[in-house]
Amino acid sequence: MAASATADPDWRRVSTAPTPYTVFTKLIEKSPQDDRDYRLIELDNGLRAMLVHDAKTDKAAASLNVAVGHLNDPDDMPGLAHFCEHLLFMGTEQYPGENEYQEFLTKNNGYSNAFTGASNTNYYFSVSTNALPGALSRFAAFFHCPLFAPSCTSRELNAVDSEHKKNQQSDSWRISQVNKHLSKEGHAWRKFGTGNKESLSKVGRELKARGLLGSNGNGNGHTNGPVSGVIKSADGSFAPPPASSLVPSSVPSVNSTSSELEGDGGVVGRETRRRLVEWWSKEYCAGRMRLCIIGKESLDDMADMVAKLFSPVKNRGQVPLPMIIEHPFGPNEIGTMVSVQTIMSFYVLDVLFPLDYQHRHWRYEPGGFLAHFLGHEGPGSLHSYLKNKGWITTLDAGPQNLGRGFAMMKVTLQLTKEGFENYRAGMLAVFKYLSLLRSSSFPAWYQRELSTICATRFRFAEKYSPDNYAIRVTQMLAYPVPPERILSAPQLVEEWDEHDPANSGEHEVHETLEGLRVGKGRVVLMAKVDEHERVRGNVAEWETEPWYGTSYRVEKLDADFLAQAESPNDIPELYLPGPNKFIPTNMNVEKCLVDKPLRRPRLIRETPLSSLWYKKDDYFLVPKAQVMLAIRSPLANASARTATLTHLFAELVNDSLTEIVYDANLAGLSYYLVGHTDGLCLILWGYNDKLHVLARNVLEHANNLHIKADRLAVMKEQLKRGLENYFLNGPCGLSDDFGCYLMQERKWTMEEILAEIPSVTVEEVQAQMSGLLSKINMRMLLLGNMSKDEAVRLMEMAENTLQASPISIPEVLDRTLIFPNASNYVWSRLVPNPNEPNSCLAYYTRVGSALEPRTRVTLALLAQILSEPAFNVLRTREQLGYNVSCSQWASPGDSEIGLRILIQSERDPVYLEERVEAFLDEMKEKLFKTDEIEFEEQKTGLEHAAREAAKNQAEETEGHWRQIRSGYLDFLRCDNDADLVKTITKEDVISMFLSRIHPSSSSRAKLSVHLRSQKPPAQKISNSAMEAFESLVTARGITVDGQRWRSELTGNGEPLVSHFERYWQATLAGEPAVTPEVGKEIMASLPALLEQHPAPTESKGKIKDGVVFIEDPKAFRASLKVSALPKPLVDWGDLPTSIQS
């Protein structure tokens, strides 16, 4: 039994259980709003679990957090923790099928995922409540008897590599790694956390090159492959060696070219797997594991289930929560400015300071207290000063726990072009504000406000998805707080003890402030290289970060700047904020007594100008409300220019309100105004006490906005940069957007919007504002803790504020462009980013109308059945790429539906389309062979998904708003679809698949978007070309060691041509009988062999007969049929007359 629980009187031994465990006896502090029951237990192996009984949940979930992450990687094998996360899922001794776990979850309305952090790795799933025991049994086995299947080694190495390549053009990943790279020498924070094939295979390749790997890829004589023909679990088949894993065998075997199992990566792959199992056998210790289970089972049943399933996990005697106290910033890393070149076009300035680990300061949270001031956006704030200068668009500040034991305070300025030109003055302002804080005393009411805001948020916290909550709980289980406060302490902050100032939170604040000095921090300045050199000149040589290739340079901050930054604040515009008037005072909940919660909103008011839908919150019972208001006008999106003007107008309104509404946002009341295809959409959410005040402020500002030229210039620059950066996004998102463009009636390309921005004037935006708001139709939905009368008054206020004339509804409805039956279209484009290595395929088939219930439900069932095999075949088995998905799609306006398959890959899109159609052919056979039991399980899973209830007000509002916005008003669709699922037959699914999805169908409607990378992939060489080259060499009378070159070159799939050339150049140069001229002559034959024997992975695929390429997308769109105007599918009869005031 774990010593921590045994020695503590607050823990009680439960020895009568089938598998004994220890239970925490105190009540777990929770929100009064929380109707779930909690129990904390500890197993004899040290694993702690929070059990959550939720009688109302319709979804079960589990999360297991292991207190090791990429900071625990071996120094010589970066990415091993991440690789472990990948390979761990590939079967267990109890459930050896590598996709058995995913299949079980999919047919039970579930899914799973995992992520590797700096100091933790988290695994989680969600599933239908009745399937929790089966899912948990499969889940638990990953932690006590994983196979780390040798046959999957090479595939998962490729998956990790593909994931890294996906991130190589991402500035966030690149800049993060630069900051890590510039840590003190030897600190764990320097590590390359994601890893790639290179970092994970380097040790094995080096050992192999020195002849130190045997045929099992293990110099220590241990086998990690199958034993007696049976694959055993990691613990069962691999005993960690007593000495270092790098000590070679004294009598190394001759290198082997054959693999015991296909896909094990040869001797190099086997060595990587051996190191993985060795690492896992040491680091994955039960005492480091924190588990959370959420379900409908009783707490006793859950406790017995957890004890039985997780007790086999070994406690390996490791420190439960390993800490790294030393900070990655040493003397050489502080007082510096790092300039970083970006891929995308933006200007950002980060000011970073080492910070004490913040979880230790959970009572008063001094880092959060200071972030409240640094990130404030009200009058007197740093944000307000810099924004009024025209130097920033946004400012964020806050503490970040980088790893368990060390943290960072980060202030981020999103700069304008002018702000970048004045970056020194901008970063000096940050230090001047810190000087202001150091010279200030903080009245206790500041902390009291923050404490009140946190307490109110905790008191009225709503539920969210069980899997996300389980993840959150497992992370809170690692907080250094009393066990009874595991749920409350991370979410609350205590008031200061005014009677003991020396030990109060204010003392902690001033201590923390002393660390936020210019000589103790680092400044990071980010922009594209031409902007750096335009503003600063070529002041120093650029260096290169090794993993992402990011260019950077480091300079010490000059003495003059250091002196200015340490001097007292002399900027009069900077001062501390006043009290927050938006903190709610009326938190009463008007409970609506109903036998059963209403399933839809009611139409309670309708005029020629507006319609108002209303639903009193009768389930969540919190003092909050959600308001959705669509202000619809045909002028908003009549052309690319008016769409641009509408977007700029909405952003200018938001910009003008920053100082006014910031306190409301802090106090839990927020809004957002956004331009939409049919006008403007205003969203308000939060505590209802002062919601009407915020709504009036926003609408009055929108109606009376006086546009300033300087702020329009900032918004234009921001929009321009955003659109330019859009083209540098990953191909997966771009291809889906391009597909959407082909299917939406009123849709403009980003190129068209970009072309309009430079010439936009103040007068044009002002005119657009007046015209757009003069003739409108409004739809509002209010859901929450507000009365019907309050809802009506809110709608009346909107009408009275805007003083608009009504328009007819059809003028503003979204409509779909329908690509026809018996079609096979391809739109081929280049990936805009020339350095992006990935291509993408977005493959759409249109099934029919979303308004036809049987079609809709049959497609949903078919998409569910295909989703897991698509991932397993196209990603796991065929290794086409990291991003692979198969799902249902709905057209803009929600009138048409179909199946969509997305693949982001280094392979050509034509080849990807070939593989998709081969997959669909394979699924044809699978569908016919599906037995009735499995088919009924799939139906049950879909029915559970359709009946899944909203978890909070926001989710319920979103579901109703979609029906109101579309115009169909089909509020009970999910309930009706759930009932209809029961009537769907296997024959229905097969018939739809054969007629609407399968490539052999003569009637199917198919469209695909091919985004092709401009970056040529590294050329590979086929096995037949290598053998032909061997024959050519031996024909010259040269002795060839066939076993050696195969072992050297083919251990991990097709080698690169460059590797092949280097090997043979060195080999031929070492042959005394081969002159340099002969060697060159032999190597000169290689290009012809590559052409004669192309590598299978070099195949670009072949376009099938009947494909029609879209050469002119505008003409194509113009040729398509437009969907019918949406009309209500149900006449709810809520109003006695059509017009009511």
Side-chain angles (χ1 to χ4, degrees), residues 370-546:
L370 291 171
H372 169 69
F373 292 91
L374 286 165
H376 208 282
E377 297 180 9
S381 67
L382 178 62
H383 177 280
S384 178
Y385 169 73
L386 293 171
K387 179 185 166 186
N388 289 333
K389 286 279 190 181
W391 291 350
I392 66 166
T393 55
T394 63
L395 183 153
D396 296 293
Q400 298 179 343
N401 285 317
L402 302 181
R404 195 179 304 104
F406 60 98
M408 190 87 76
M409 176 65 83
K410 182 178 180 182
V411 182
T412 298
L413 311 181
Q414 297 277 349
L415 301 169
T416 62
K417 187 174 184 178
E418 184 181 349
F420 182 69
E421 291 165 354
N422 290 276
Y423 73 92
R424 275 179 71 94
M427 64 184 188
L428 182 60
V430 174
F431 292 108
K432 290 294 185 180
Y433 193 84
L434 286 167
S435 293
L436 170 68
L437 293 177
R438 272 192 294 274
S439 65
S440 301
S441 60
F442 300 104
W445 65 262
Y446 277 125
Q447 181 77 353
R448 193 174 304 119
E449 267 195 357
L450 294 176
S451 180
T452 300
I453 289 170
C454 290
T456 304
R457 186 187 303 130
F458 182 68
R459 166 69 180 85
F460 296 107
E462 295 180 80
K463 293 180 182 178
Y464 43 99
S465 64
D467 54 313
N468 285 333
Y469 187 58
I471 293 168
R472 177 70 176 135
V473 171
T474 60
Q475 293 171 336
M476 291 191 290
L477 282 166
Y479 273 55
V481 302
E484 65 271 21
R485 301 193 64 178
I486 282 168
L487 301 180
S488 60
Q491 302 182 67
L492 298 175
V493 59
E494 296 182 8
E495 294 185 29
W496 292 341
D497 185 350
E498 297 179 58
H499 302 294
D500 185 12
N503 297 306
S504 73
E506 186 176 4
H507 178 71
E508 289 187 14
V509 166
H510 282 288
E511 270 192 344
T512 304
L513 267 171
E514 284 306 306
L516 308 187
R517 291 185 176 274
V518 62
K520 297 180 179 179
R522 170 193 287 174
V523 176
V524 184
L525 185 65
M526 298 160 249
K528 290 177 75 72
V529 60
D530 54 341
E531 288 297 284
H532 277 295
E533 295 182 350
R534 178 181 69 83
V535 171
R536 304 194 63 230
N538 197 4
V539 297
E541 290 297 318
W542 293 99
E543 298 181 66
T544 302
E545 186 280 319

Side-chain angles (χ1 to χ4, degrees), residues 838-849:
N838 288 296
S839 297
C840 189
L841 168 73
Y843 186 98
Y844 305 90
T845 58
R846 183 180 61 79
V847 165
S849 171

